[in-house]
Amino acid sequence: MDKTELNHKKIWEQSENAVNIDIWVAICTYLIVARVKREINSNLSIYQIVQILEISVFDKTLLNEILTEYQANQNDKKNWNYLTTKNSRISNNAKT
């Protein structure tokens, strides 16, 4: 085995310890987010909460406020989509 192969092995393969650390970090992150979700009684999925946390990682706003604001924005979008589809159906019926 030459020096080049050793460098590639270090880059592409992780040690068993590194893999174990990655798994434990993922499990701990999931459990923390699941607990936050339960504590604030959020309707968002754990995946959505993680996505929001990734975006607002350096934001100094309280987590509860960020998630509440996101839910309100999602509700507004759903209401807007409902109203626009309902209005388009009404206008299509009026044309015929």
Side-chain angles (χ1 to χ4, degrees):
M1 195 184 284
D2 66 356
K3 191 174 182 179
T4 320
E5 290 177 28
L6 286 175
N7 287 338
H8 288 300
K9 190 168 188 167
K10 285 182 184 176
I11 293 171
W12 296 110
E13 293 183 18
Q14 290 186 339
S15 68
E16 182 180 345
N17 190 40
V19 172
N20 286 336
I21 290 171
D22 287 346
I23 290 170
W24 280 109
V25 167
I27 290 170
C28 291
T29 302
Y30 178 87
L31 292 174
I32 290 169
V33 173
R35 175 138 187 206
V36 166
K37 175 181 164 59
R38 194 178 110 238
E39 291 284 326
I40 63 174
N41 198 20
S42 176
N43 294 330
L44 298 172
S45 70
I46 291 176
Y47 177 76
Q48 288 173 315
I49 294 173
V50 169
Q51 294 296 311
I52 293 167
L53 290 174
E54 285 179 4
I55 293 170
S56 59
V57 69
F58 295 113
D59 196 354
K60 292 185 179 182
T61 309
L62 294 176
L63 184 58
N64 191 16
E65 291 176 18
I66 293 172
L67 297 178
T68 305
E69 182 180 329
Y70 179 82
Q71 284 178 303
N73 289 339
Q74 290 301 102
N75 290 338
D76 289 345
K77 285 181 185 177
K78 286 179 186 176
N79 290 338
W80 176 255
N81 289 339
Y82 173 76
L83 290 174
T84 54
T85 42
K86 186 175 181 180
N87 287 339
S88 66
R89 283 190 219 143
I90 292 171
S91 63
N92 286 340
N93 290 338
K95 291 179 183 177
T96 58

